[in-house]
Amino acid sequence: MTGAAFLFVFTRLATVALIALAGLGFGTLALRGFERVAPGERAVLATGLGLGMLGTGWLLAGVFGALTRITVILTVAAGAGLALFSRRRVERPDGRWRLRTTGAAALALALTALSLVSFRALYPPTAFDATMYHLPMAKAYAASGRIAPLPDLRFPVFPALNEVLFSGAMLLCDDVSAQLVETLFFGLAAAGIVMGTSRAAGQGPGLWALALWLSSPAVLSLASMAYADMGLTTFAFFALYACARWLETAESRWLRLAGAFAGFAAGAKYSGLFFGALVFATVLLRAPRGKKGRAARDVLLFAAASGVWWYALIFSGTGDPAWPFFGSLFGYRFWSREDVASLLWSLHRYGDGRSLGALLRLPFRFALGRSPSEPGMAGAGLALLLLAIGVSVRRRLCRFPAAVAVAYAVFWFFTTQQPRFLLPVVPVLCVLGALVLAALTENARGDSRTWLRRLVSLGALVLAGRALLEEGRRLRFSPPLPVSLPQREAFLEQLPSYPFYRELNRRYGSAYSIYALHDESMKYYCEGRHLGDWFGPNRYADVPVGSGTELYEWLRRRGVSYLLVNESPMFTHLPDDDFFRSHFERIYARGPIVAYSLTAPRAVAAFRPAVLSSAPFRVGL
């Protein structure tokens, strides 16, 4: 590794390590009543809690236009200082975790996986949703210092706790650090899976649960993308973990912690509201009769304290606390009734329908390791679902995770059956699967039990090792890691329209507007105003392609100077009349991408960027 490469890797990893350390500091301060909890368990929960607190604090700063680099530096420094200089003495922890052979294997497995996905996250972002709205939202927040609706994005507002954390990482370093925030959440979820399973059944099942988590290619892939799914999954799992600890100990502090994590889950994504409702329902069902009211109040109070800010912000910007889903009651603001109907259709088009028969077939599809629309989301964890439900009837430890898995599967079934949206319940399935295997191995007697558990451990290592070897193979055949600006730009030239945006950025900075037909995923790499999407006031369906005159006037009313077309998904063709040929000058073509400059005939030469002439672009590394 060259000096430049080492410096690149070190600064990005150090940035996310400082954010994690700040989270640990703030979380440790908040968990002052948890001194008797095992140090490792407290550290993992504190880091997750502190990250939620950090993101919420940056949200409140952004509301007042104060989400700046100095704000982020000061808060990270304060949190890191709390973590480094805290001298709390830990007395009589109620659980100790000594590193035995299986524990060492779990640690080695986790570090291997974390190294692989961290290296993948060091590449420039190219994932579709990440560059379409997750990172553009974070970049806009970081650039303006203010958190407010962004009408030019597909979703101008939504619960964006992850995106605010991305903004903080960008203000400290860059977008690669933002991707590593999701890798951090991946590591915290892995630690929580091992921690929860080991507490219940020992280190062996902890290793099995970790192997199930790492055996999913989708999990490893999402761990290196700047999406919101991994953050949601971690907050949701920690909420369920704290709820399970409350069921075990009846201590109200765990219930308050569950409420706080549920609020952060709701602040990460609308679907996170499910976990707050689930914790609340658990309280109503399991709390002693005389304590139900107080327990329910604790959950609601702490969930609101950590999650209500996003919904207040969304309401203030749109009039709808869960925009755009209640548009018929509160108005549609940035969208139309047709846009909302189209969104709901797109959410419901996944899967195998929503009939009673499809619902009854769902467990069998899971047992075969398939979701109704794509294979392999949760791997072996889903394969154990049917068996786990059966065992949970007789095993007390399995009942709560089995109930959670069934409840979320039903929720997922009736909302959107996108495989990626199964991720929040995958940690629960992994724990559940390991507990089921532990229960089954307990039926063996004498030495056969020991050998059977060793055999299961070996199988778990093979299962996870296979996925990690495949991830390593992908990295081996990937291009060299870009560690300088020229290398980064060469890497990004795999995106057909990137050279065009790069040249516009160099020439005009942010002082240009472009309408892009079917190129919405390039919003992040466009420094100017980027219009064009399936939804909103600049939707594709409204583009008038009947004549060049209509198209020209429609674009000019929006202040557009350039038109870019991705011809591969086009169902209609652009006009081919004299007006179009005289007012739309073709200045770029690469693969399916064609770009035009909108100009009057006399101004063509002045409008034309020299580098976008007929000279070919250099493609590749």
Side-chain angles (χ1 to χ4, degrees):
M1 181 180 289
T2 65
F6 175 82
L7 183 62
F8 176 88
V9 173
F10 175 79
T11 52
R12 276 70 186 174
L13 294 180
T15 298
V16 77
L18 284 173
I19 293 174
L21 192 62
L24 175 61
F26 287 122
T28 300
L29 184 65
L31 296 182
R32 286 178 295 177
F34 288 74
E35 285 83 357
R36 295 181 59 186
V37 175
E41 181 181 11
R42 190 174 66 254
V44 171
L45 292 173
T47 303
L49 184 66
L51 288 174
M53 295 168 63
L54 200 62
T56 303
W58 289 344
L59 157 68
L60 296 176
V63 169
F64 297 99
L67 183 58
T68 62
R69 179 172 283 109
I70 188 63
T71 300
V72 172
I73 291 174
L74 289 176
T75 51
V76 169
L82 286 171
L84 291 174
F85 299 111
S86 175
R87 291 294 182 265
R88 297 183 181 277
R89 296 182 64 85
V90 180
E91 299 178 2
R92 303 192 312 273
D94 58 6
R96 295 184 182 274
W97 205 78
R98 296 178 180 177
L99 197 64
R100 300 186 179 93
T101 303
T102 49
L107 181 61
L109 196 64
L111 290 177
T112 301
L114 197 58
S115 299
L116 290 172
V117 297
S118 295
F119 192 82
R120 172 68 64 184
L122 289 169
Y123 281 81
T126 57
F128 194 91
D129 286 3
T131 56
M132 178 172 60
Y133 57 86
H134 291 296
L135 288 176
M137 177 175 281
K139 183 172 74 169
Y141 291 164
S144 67
R146 182 174 296 279
I147 295 178
L150 301 168
D152 289 342
L153 294 185
R154 171 171 293 185
F155 302 107
V157 291
F158 57 73
L161 180 56
N162 282 269
E163 286 73 17
V164 171
L165 290 171
F166 297 164
S167 295
M170 288 179 172
L171 287 168
L172 289 175
C173 193
D174 60 7
D175 51 16
V176 168
S177 300
Q179 291 188 136
L180 285 167
V181 170
E182 290 299 281
T183 306
L184 171 61
F185 279 122
F186 162 79
L188 288 173
I193 289 169
V194 175
M195 180 176 69
T197 313
S198 298
R199 275 191 56 84
Q203 289 188 26
L207 170 65
W208 308 341
L210 176 65
L212 291 173
W213 172 245
L214 301 180
S215 67
S216 170
V219 168
L220 298 177
S221 178
L222 288 168
S224 61
M225 296 180 183
Y227 284 22
D229 300 273
M230 199 59 71
L232 166 65
T233 298
T234 303
F235 289 131
F237 179 65
F238 284 177
L240 297 172
Y241 178 90
C243 187
R245 293 283 269 139
W246 170 72
L247 292 172
E248 173 190 341
T249 65
E251 296 177 356
S252 58
R253 59 178 180 168
W254 288 108
L255 200 55
R256 291 191 288 269
L257 184 61
F261 276 122
F264 290 140
K269 209 168 185 178
Y270 283 130
S271 55
L273 290 166
F274 169 85
F275 297 95
L278 187 61
V279 171
F280 186 75
T282 303
V283 168
L284 295 181
L285 291 173
R286 299 294 299 274
R289 181 170 299 177
K291 298 181 179 180
K292 286 185 187 292
R294 181 176 179 179
R297 186 175 65 249
D298 283 347
V299 170
L300 290 176
L301 179 63
F302 279 81
S306 58
V308 73
W309 312 104
W310 283 110
Y311 295 86
L313 179 67
I314 294 169
F315 179 78
S316 68
T318 66
D320 179 352
W323 183 91
F325 296 103
F326 298 126
S328 59
L329 296 176
F330 300 106
Y332 296 97
R333 186 58 190 273
F334 300 107
W335 284 10
S336 66
R337 184 189 304 271
E338 292 73 23
D339 287 330
V340 176
S342 178
L343 174 66
L344 294 176
W345 172 84
S346 68
L347 292 175
H348 291 156
R349 69 186 176 90
Y350 292 90
D352 192 33
R354 283 158 182 78
S355 64
L356 178 60
L359 180 62
L360 294 176
R361 291 193 299 270
L362 188 63
F364 298 97
R365 291 179 176 273
F366 281 174
L368 295 174
R370 298 197 310 267
S371 74
S373 51
E374 290 183 16
M377 173 60 214
L382 292 178
L384 291 166
L385 179 57
L386 274 178
L387 183 59
I389 294 171
V391 173
S392 68
V393 176
R394 300 180 57 186
R395 298 283 178 173
R396 181 180 60 84
L397 286 176
C398 296
R399 290 173 187 168
F400 180 65
V404 170
V406 171
Y408 189 83
V410 173
F411 167 77
W412 174 84
F413 178 84
F414 284 108
T415 52
T416 178
Q417 296 177 27
Q418 296 184 56
R420 176 165 58 90
F421 286 13
L422 282 171
L423 185 67
V425 81
V426 171
V428 177
L429 290 170
C430 295
V431 173
L432 181 58
L435 293 179
V436 168
L437 290 173
L440 293 177
T441 56
E442 285 177 5
N443 295 328
R445 298 181 179 180
D447 292 340
S448 60
R449 177 187 300 177
T450 301
W451 284 105
L452 184 58
R453 290 172 73 92
R454 289 176 179 174
L455 184 62
V456 174
S457 295
L458 179 61
L461 290 173
V462 171
L463 185 68
R466 180 182 177 184
L468 296 180
L469 283 174
E470 177 61 24
E471 182 68 13
R473 188 192 68 81
R474 287 178 57 207
L475 287 173
R476 179 184 176 187
F477 292 104
S478 297
L481 181 67
V483 298
S484 65
L485 181 59
Q487 292 174 356
R488 175 186 169 96
E489 292 184 342
F491 175 84
L492 289 172
E493 284 186 359
Q494 65 182 282
L495 307 173
S497 59
Y498 176 77
F500 180 72
Y501 292 106
R502 177 182 61 195
E503 183 58 29
L504 290 181
N505 295 338
R506 287 175 177 174
R507 285 180 167 267
Y508 307 116
S510 61
Y512 70 92
S513 295
I514 182 171
Y515 190 93
L517 269 167
H518 305 291
D519 201 37
E520 62 270 26
S521 66
M522 291 300 292
K523 282 184 182 289
Y524 179 66
Y525 291 111
C526 175
E527 297 297 330
R529 190 182 182 198
H530 188 287
L531 305 180
D533 209 313
W534 290 102
F535 308 98
N538 301 298
R539 64 183 66 83
Y540 300 142
D542 292 343
V543 178
V545 294
S547 72
T549 303
E550 291 179 353
L551 178 60
Y552 184 88
E553 293 177 352
W554 189 86
L555 293 172
R556 279 304 197 191
R557 283 197 299 270
R558 286 158 173 76
V560 169
S561 299
Y562 297 93
L563 171 66
L564 182 143
V565 180
N566 182 354
E567 295 181 336
S568 56
M570 287 282 288
F571 299 105
T572 58
H573 298 285
L574 295 177
D576 191 27
D577 53 30
D578 292 338
F579 188 92
F580 182 88
R581 287 190 292 270
S582 63
H583 288 73
F584 290 80
E585 184 190 12
R586 180 167 170 162
I587 56 174
Y588 178 83
R590 183 183 178 204
I593 303 297
V594 180
Y596 301 88
S597 172
L598 276 67
T599 123
R602 291 177 298 176
V604 167
F607 234 94
R608 180 175 187 161
V611 75
L612 300 182
S613 64
S614 58
F617 283 94
R618 179 176 177 270
V619 180
L621 292 176

